[in-house]
């Protein structure tokens, strides 16, 4: 995964997705593992991201898609841009085509 810095106009490599896929959905999140109160996923982490009245992208979800062998995937991953870490979250309840 690459990130773009609009101030420097440069791309930077961040991380590989833990599970190869294509044709997936991605959703940006500014509240998961952030905000004024840490969510259950951040409890116990020393550097909890807490900001008031600031809308910042904390991460994004990568949902479903097609695996390398052509099978449909139900897995969902969350990438935290502050910590630069991937976390596997609940699977999709069912496949939707």
């Amino acid at each position: 995964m690459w990130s773009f810095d609009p101030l420097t106009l440069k791309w930077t490599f961040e991380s590989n997705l833990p599970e190869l896929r294509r044709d997936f959905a991605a959703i940006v999140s500014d509240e998961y593992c952030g905000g004024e109160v840490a969510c259950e996923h951040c409890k116990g982490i020393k550097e909890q991201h807490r900001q008031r009245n600031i809308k910042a992208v904390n991460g994004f979800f990568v949902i479903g898609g097609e695996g390398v062998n052509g099978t449909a995937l139900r897995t969902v991953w969350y990438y935290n841009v502050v910590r630069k870490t991937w976390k596997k979250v609940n699977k999709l309840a069912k496949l939707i085509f």
Side-chain angles (χ1 to χ4, degrees):
M1 180 194 62
W2 292 77
S3 66
F4 180 73
D5 184 342
L7 299 176
T8 63
L9 301 178
K10 293 186 179 180
W11 288 92
T12 304
F13 178 76
E14 297 289 341
S15 175
N16 287 319
L17 182 63
E19 183 179 26
L20 294 176
R21 64 184 64 214
R22 68 178 195 175
D23 301 328
F24 55 85
I27 300 173
V28 174
S29 172
D30 63 359
E31 294 182 12
Y32 188 81
C33 292
E36 294 179 9
V37 180
C39 71
E40 64 185 52
H41 300 285
C42 291
K43 289 179 182 173
I45 297 175
K46 292 179 185 177
E47 302 171 12
Q48 292 181 2
H49 183 63
R50 295 170 189 245
Q51 295 179 339
R52 290 178 175 226
N53 303 321
I54 296 174
K55 284 291 185 183
V57 173
N58 293 324
F60 58 90
F61 293 90
V62 172
I63 304 164
E66 183 178 320
V68 293
N69 59 0
T71 59
L73 298 174
R74 293 176 41 206
T75 52
V76 179
W77 289 88
Y78 175 76
Y79 184 75
N80 185 308
V81 298
V82 175
R83 294 182 187 88
K84 300 186 184 300
T85 58
W86 287 101
K87 178 180 174 90
K88 196 172 194 176
V89 294
N90 292 339
K91 289 184 177 185
L92 295 172
K94 64 179 183 175
L95 294 172
I96 302 170
F97 296 98

